[in-house]
Amino acid sequence: MSRSVVDKISELRARRKAVVLAHNYQPPEVQDLADFCGDSLGLSVQASRTQAEVIVFCGVRFMAETAAILCPDKVVLLPDPEAGCPMADMITAAQLRQLKAQHPGAIVVCYVNSTAEVKAESDTCCTSANAVDLVRSLPKDRQIVFVPDQNLGQYTAEQTGRDLVLWPGYCRSHVLITEDDIRAAKARYPDAVVMVHPECTEAVRGLADQVLSTGQMLRFVRQSKAKRFIVGTEIGILHALNKENPDAQYIPASDRAVCPNMKRITLDKVLWALEDMQVQVTIPKDIAAQARKSLQRMTEVVPSYAKG
Ligand code: 13P
Ligand code: SF4
């Protein structure tokens, strides 16, 4: 890591009155540089509270869009405009409108991994950390449509006993983790606790001891007496786990569980973003106003660890 790039970022960050937010899947050097690291929910809460004038979002586009929607008076920078989330693009606003027409009167819950337009068409957003609590809080007599992640949706349906209408979206990185991966890791480390993300398939979740968002994994490990964990999520989390609790051992369920979009962010790109104040993420006012309502509902159902 070049010290001069880090120094230049620090100097510019102060001059621009900027805060750097990084998701738990970011490359280690980006996590180390950030003012706050966290899961999608924790980062949304940090964005909505910050006094900074500029937010440099080290994550993928939907995360930066969420910050821009929650903070209309701030400049939100995404250091690589190509950093998208393929799952977020698996449903369009037009497709959601069609689905709503097929289920009139249903409450629409959209995973925060979605476009601003899809959020604007939804009644409420959720993240992997609060989907279960959020769905539990909805009226029992209403049908619920859940988009776009079928795996988080299925998990939420199992946990709440609610019959959700699902959309066939999925995360390309998480579905690479297989049952065989978990079985092999368990055979090798029989004493390890298996934690997986709810974006994993049903079969993988079925072999896990814990199904957790990335922020919940960090909290779980902090409170656990176990010394070994098999980790079924994107491998960027291993840096955060090792940093927070270096005494335990973390075994990635699969080395293939990499999100290439998360890895697009580099220190050089963070520096360029602050130098040029590019690329600014903006959302048309009418869409932002609608999407904000869905996001505000999401940030009302926040477990204490994510409040920071
Ligand atoms: P978390 O909110 O659990 O960090 O997950 C975000 C994500 O994109 C998972 O793939
Ligand atoms: Fe999207 Fe999957 Fe990457 Fe998360 S890990 S940002 S869901 S592609």
Side-chain angles (χ1 to χ4, degrees):
M1 174 169 51
S2 151
R3 248 198 76 68
S4 65
V5 174
V6 173
D7 287 347
K8 284 184 201 165
I9 292 172
S10 298
E11 190 257 313
L12 262 179
R13 168 163 48 187
R15 187 141 49 90
R16 302 276 196 216
K17 297 190 174 56
V19 68
V20 178
L21 303 183
H23 187 264
N24 291 326
Y25 298 158
Q26 284 292 291
E29 60 280 13
V30 176
Q31 291 190 32
D32 291 347
L33 172 103
D35 296 292
F36 296 101
C37 290
D39 64 7
S40 307
L41 187 57
L43 292 173
S44 303
V45 171
Q46 292 298 340
S48 63
R49 282 194 192 155
T50 184
Q51 301 295 313
E53 291 174 13
V54 176
I55 298 172
V56 184
F57 215 113
C58 300
V60 292
R61 173 163 289 274
F62 79 79
M63 297 179 175
E65 284 185 353
T66 297
I69 295 163
L70 289 171
C71 317
D73 54 336
K74 299 193 192 302
V75 173
V76 178
L77 303 174
L78 181 61
D80 186 326
E82 301 295 319
C85 168
M87 183 210 283
D89 296 327
M90 286 180 187
I91 187 165
T92 63
Q95 286 172 316
L96 180 52
R97 278 193 290 273
Q98 252 177 18
L99 189 63
K100 282 165 65 170
Q102 287 161 15
H103 301 278
I107 299 175
V108 179
V109 180
C110 82
Y111 190 22
V112 72
N113 299 38
S114 51
T115 62
E117 291 77 7
V118 164
K119 289 182 176 74
E121 284 290 337
S122 302
D123 296 301
T124 177
C125 295
C126 69
T127 76
S128 56
N130 68 0
V132 169
D133 288 340
L134 201 134
V135 165
R136 272 201 189 114
S137 75
L138 299 175
K140 299 231 169 2
D141 58 342
R142 300 274 298 277
Q143 193 174 35
I144 299 171
V145 166
F146 190 101
V147 297
D149 185 18
Q150 59 181 317
N151 290 305
L152 177 63
Q154 242 170 32
Y155 174 69
T156 306
E158 282 160 24
Q159 296 298 306
T160 59
R162 300 288 300 257
D163 185 18
L164 307 184
V165 176
L166 301 178
W167 184 258
Y170 62 92
C171 166
R172 288 180 193 160
S173 309
H174 281 84
V175 300
L176 288 177
I177 302 170
T178 64
E179 279 174 84
D180 285 350
D181 290 331
I182 305 286
R183 286 215 173 88
K186 277 172 93 158
R188 190 143 180 231
Y189 304 100
D191 61 324
V193 175
V194 181
M195 314 186 285
V196 306
H197 197 275
E199 287 177 16
C200 291
T201 62
E202 191 175 7
V204 165
R205 291 195 313 271
L207 293 173
D209 299 305
Q210 298 288 330
V211 179
L212 302 166
S213 79
T214 62
Q216 288 169 337
M217 285 182 188
L218 286 160
R219 186 187 55 152
F220 179 78
V221 162
R222 226 178 283 140
Q223 295 173 347
S224 170
K225 289 197 171 54
K227 286 284 163 238
R228 202 174 260 164
F229 300 87
I230 295 164
V231 185
T233 192
E234 210 275 348
I235 58 169
I237 187 75
L238 297 175
H239 178 69
L241 287 165
N242 276 307
K243 202 167 151 180
E244 271 215 25
N245 191 359
D247 295 336
Q249 187 189 1
Y250 307 99
I251 299 108
S254 168
D255 289 326
R256 290 171 303 151
V258 177
C259 175
N261 285 286
M262 284 282 180
K263 309 307 185 210
R264 283 180 173 273
I265 310 295
T266 63
L267 289 183
D268 281 334
K269 290 179 190 171
V270 173
L271 177 60
W272 298 333
L274 278 164
E275 277 175 345
D276 302 341
M277 293 296 278
Q278 294 290 342
V279 172
Q280 297 192 18
V281 175
T282 53
I283 310 291
K285 270 206 171 82
D286 50 339
I287 291 172
Q290 278 303 113
R292 195 171 304 120
K293 290 185 200 156
S294 301
L295 283 168
Q296 275 162 352
R297 180 92 178 85
M298 172 184 99
T299 50
E300 280 163 15
V301 185
V302 178
S304 56
Y305 81 90
K307 289 183 179 154

